[in-house]
Amino acid sequence: MDNTDSEWTVSAGGGDFAHVDQGLHPATVKKISNPVEEECRYNPGKMKRKVTFTYEVESLAPNGERMTIPRKYTLSTNQKSNMRPDVESILARKLTAEEEQAFDIRNLIGRPCKVLVKHTPKDDGGFWSNVDSVLPADNAQPF
């Protein structure tokens, strides 16, 4: 393999990145990453399992493809977790007691929902596009 292949070339990027507009967007759970162990930023040394949901919205990027926006979660269905309310919104119902103990999140891939995107200012004058919350899709039927 030639080490000069463009697929292996790294740059600072920027410039052509298109942000998802701020506001409420119809979306679909496009993919969910494999769980990874990450150090807890609030408790150094403590490891937590994390996953990233990638939501596809109806807006189109300059290349004509649908735009996506990720949101990272601690892998937990605990009442206090940040993942649980979003999972329940995607399902359009509360988790059952049985699902609290063992729920395969891969079943959410392809499910419709809505995402509220907010822009958070950066120090350099730019901004981050973040999923602020996930809501049930219009006319969502419990899954």
Side-chain angles (χ1 to χ4, degrees), residues 18-91:
H19 287 272
V20 174
D21 289 337
Q22 187 165 261
L24 191 60
H25 298 268
T28 302
V29 180
K30 177 77 172 173
K31 66 180 178 178
I32 299 173
S33 70
N34 290 329
V36 295
E37 291 281 326
E38 288 187 10
E39 187 172 24
C40 177
R41 66 180 169 177
Y42 302 112
N43 191 357
K46 182 176 180 179
M47 302 300 287
K48 291 193 172 196
R49 291 177 59 204
K50 302 273 188 168
V51 293
T52 300
F53 285 36
T54 300
Y55 297 98
E56 183 179 73
V57 298
E58 293 180 352
S59 303
L60 298 179
N63 66 3
E65 293 181 9
R66 287 188 180 225
M67 299 179 81
T68 60
I69 186 165
R71 185 170 192 187
K72 189 181 283 191
Y73 300 95
T74 298
L75 190 58
S76 172
T77 55
N78 183 286
Q79 292 280 353
K80 295 180 180 180
S81 75
N82 66 342
M83 186 175 81
R84 183 174 178 144
D86 291 357
V87 167
E88 291 179 336
S89 288
I90 296 164
L91 292 172

